[in-house]
Amino acid sequence: MKCTIVPKILSFILFFILFSCVNDRTENDNQKQCKVGINLTLTGNAANWGSEVKEGLMTGFRFFNDTCTTREIIVVVEDNQLDPNKAVSITRKLMDVDKVDLVISGYTPIVKATSGIVNGRGIPFLATLISAADVTNGFPFVFRDFVKEPVYMPLLANVAWKEGYKKGSCLVINDDFGLDVRSYFTDAFETLGGEMDEGEVFEASEMNLRNKIISVTSSEPDFIVMAGRGAAMINGVRQIRDDYPNIPLFLPVSIDDEKIWKALGSAGNGIVFARINIEISNPGYIRANEYFNASKGRPMNWMNVYGYSIANYLCEGFYLHGCSADSMKNYLENLSLNSVRGKLMMDEKREVKTSLNIFRREHGVFEKICQ
């Protein structure tokens, strides 16, 4: 099922176009400078997503600072190298030395190690690049903005069912991420009437998955659900394609990276995955993409868009309500904003709701699927 995409002429423009940064904002404080601490994984095997989201964040903050004279966002960037102990030290430095007004971080082990510390100090904490359940529970200053397996895996299961598949199997990394991918897809597909084998799990260090692929395919599934990271995921897809070049593959959002698509080449054909909605006809997106392209020499990818959109609403909050922790907490709790990702709203669990689309990659082209 291929879906025709009709461009929408949107009437709204992002806040940095609407606001000329004259002195018409609500003066909840007189602090001209608001300070944001970014504590992300920027080097090492898991660095690509953190680096790309950081580029989007920095583009949004720079754009705001270039166009606003009444408020400035100061950004302190730190690389935790996916080391929870290092992340804790960085967190304390951001709060005690840099005196930040808000912290942004990502990835499950980092967020779990640091969010409680920031919350205990009464500083807003925004988690991204994390899909683990219950991140915000019990932490009133913690917010999450990222796509989650409980939301998009049922969407993928629905596509599989509507395309006539009756039986699937799984090959997933043996951690919370991979097991959640399998669980939420399986529950949704079996509810629709389909059958799912448990399949196999693999460790992040495993590069040769051929024996496990033999096990996964022994039940002759109509499709395979796969989840992994980096080289292990790329090798797994390639090794599946060596013997099963045409079997449909359903993967989480982590597949959607230009470096991964390039590494996979033709092995990426037939992969179905979720991607955030991007309002490409939004004048704010067009202007932001031009701004990004001018400095980076390429258009924004979806991870850049994610980071940019976060900076977008954080800047709006600082601009309208000031830098104080309680003001930003209240602003985020009531977030409702038209953005480059469409309408963003904070739910009662302090998690941002965002629109998603489902795509299939064929011959290097992404086809939007009507669910």
Side-chain angles (χ1 to χ4, degrees):
M1 295 177 288
K2 184 166 67 175
C3 185
T4 302
I5 304 175
V6 180
K8 294 185 290 183
I9 306 300
L10 300 175
S11 60
F12 61 83
I13 302 177
L14 293 181
F15 78 93
F16 54 76
I17 298 175
L18 287 172
F19 298 156
S20 59
C21 283
V22 295
N23 291 312
D24 59 352
R25 57 184 167 81
T26 302
E27 286 288 357
N28 285 343
D29 64 38
N30 295 317
Q31 188 177 339
K32 181 179 173 62
Q33 294 181 332
C34 301
K35 190 173 286 188
V36 174
I38 295 178
N39 184 2
L40 288 173
T41 301
L42 305 176
T43 57
N45 292 332
N48 189 52
W49 276 34
S51 297
E52 296 290 0
V53 168
K54 188 263 293 184
E55 291 296 342
L57 285 164
M58 296 303 294
T59 297
F61 292 133
R62 281 195 297 265
F63 200 113
F64 178 84
N65 288 338
D66 286 351
T67 56
C68 185
T69 60
T70 59
R71 184 83 78 189
E72 181 184 12
I73 310 300
I74 304 298
V75 185
V76 181
V77 180
E78 298 284 356
D79 176 15
N80 58 51
Q81 300 176 324
L82 201 59
D83 180 339
N85 292 327
K86 189 177 185 68
V88 168
S89 296
I90 288 171
T91 297
R92 298 194 186 283
K93 180 250 184 189
L94 290 173
M95 294 187 300
D96 296 334
V97 178
D98 299 304
K99 307 293 184 182
V100 298
D101 301 299
L102 182 142
V103 174
I104 301 171
S105 194
Y107 290 140
T108 299
I110 302 302
V111 170
K112 287 187 174 181
T114 61
S115 58
I117 298 172
V118 181
N119 182 82
R121 295 282 289 272
I123 297 173
F125 182 101
L126 181 64
T128 189
L129 298 175
I130 178 171
S131 55
D134 303 330
V135 169
T136 63
N137 280 11
F139 295 147
F141 280 85
V142 176
F143 301 83
R144 184 234 298 271
D145 187 352
F146 199 60
V147 291
K148 298 182 295 181
E149 281 75 48
V151 175
Y152 69 81
M153 292 313 296
L155 299 180
L156 294 177
N158 187 60
V159 169
W161 180 254
K162 285 190 173 182
E163 293 195 338
Y165 305 134
K166 302 300 182 185
K167 183 177 181 180
S169 190
C170 300
L171 179 63
V172 300
I173 191 167
N174 188 24
D175 61 16
D176 288 346
F177 165 57
L179 299 179
D180 280 351
V181 164
R182 181 175 69 181
S183 174
Y184 289 113
F185 188 102
T186 296
D187 289 348
F189 194 67
E190 290 182 344
T191 297
L192 290 168
E195 179 183 349
M196 288 294 298
D197 287 341
E198 188 175 72
E200 294 282 350
V201 298
F202 62 92
E203 303 303 322
S205 59
E206 288 187 71
M207 293 294 111
N208 187 346
L209 303 178
R210 297 187 186 281
N211 288 338
K212 292 183 176 180
I213 291 169
I214 291 172
S215 174
V216 166
T217 56
S218 63
S219 61
E220 300 183 350
D222 299 325
F223 63 89
I224 296 172
V225 174
M226 185 181 180
R229 298 184 182 86
M233 177 174 62
I234 292 170
N235 284 344
V237 172
R238 286 175 174 167
Q239 289 163 18
I240 290 172
R241 287 288 181 245
D242 285 344
D243 294 321
Y244 302 91
N246 299 316
I247 193 166
L249 299 177
F250 290 80
L251 275 84
V253 295
S254 56
I255 188 67
D256 194 18
D257 182 316
E258 189 55 38
K259 292 180 181 178
I260 293 176
W261 294 124
K262 185 176 181 179
L264 286 175
S266 61
N269 291 336
I271 289 179
V272 180
F273 65 98
R275 175 188 285 173
I276 61 167
N277 179 56
I278 301 175
E279 301 282 5
I280 60 174
S281 60
N282 181 330
Y285 170 80
I286 294 169
R287 188 173 175 184
N289 198 41
E290 291 173 348
Y291 188 87
F292 186 93
N293 206 353
S295 62
K296 300 299 177 183
R298 62 171 176 85
M300 290 193 293
N301 60 37
W302 77 270
M303 289 175 284
N304 303 143
V305 171
Y306 222 107
Y308 178 81
S309 64
I310 290 172
N312 180 183
Y313 62 72
L314 292 179
C315 287
E316 181 189 65
F318 286 131
Y319 174 76
L320 289 177
H321 304 290
C323 308
S324 77
D326 287 338
S327 293
M328 280 302 290
K329 175 177 178 288
N330 182 68
Y331 165 76
L332 289 171
E333 286 173 341
N334 296 283
L335 179 68
S336 179
L337 179 74
N338 289 320
S339 83
V340 294
R341 283 157 51 197
K343 183 74 170 182
L344 301 181
M345 297 188 68
M346 193 71 68
D347 67 16
E348 66 281 356
K349 295 181 179 180
R350 298 184 305 285
E351 299 186 347
V352 176
K353 295 191 292 185
T354 189
S355 300
L356 293 167
N357 295 313
I358 306 299
F359 287 86
R360 176 185 288 106
R361 184 175 172 93
E362 290 290 358
H363 307 297
V365 177
F366 299 107
E367 299 177 346
K368 186 177 178 182
I369 297 175
C370 293
Q371 300 172 50

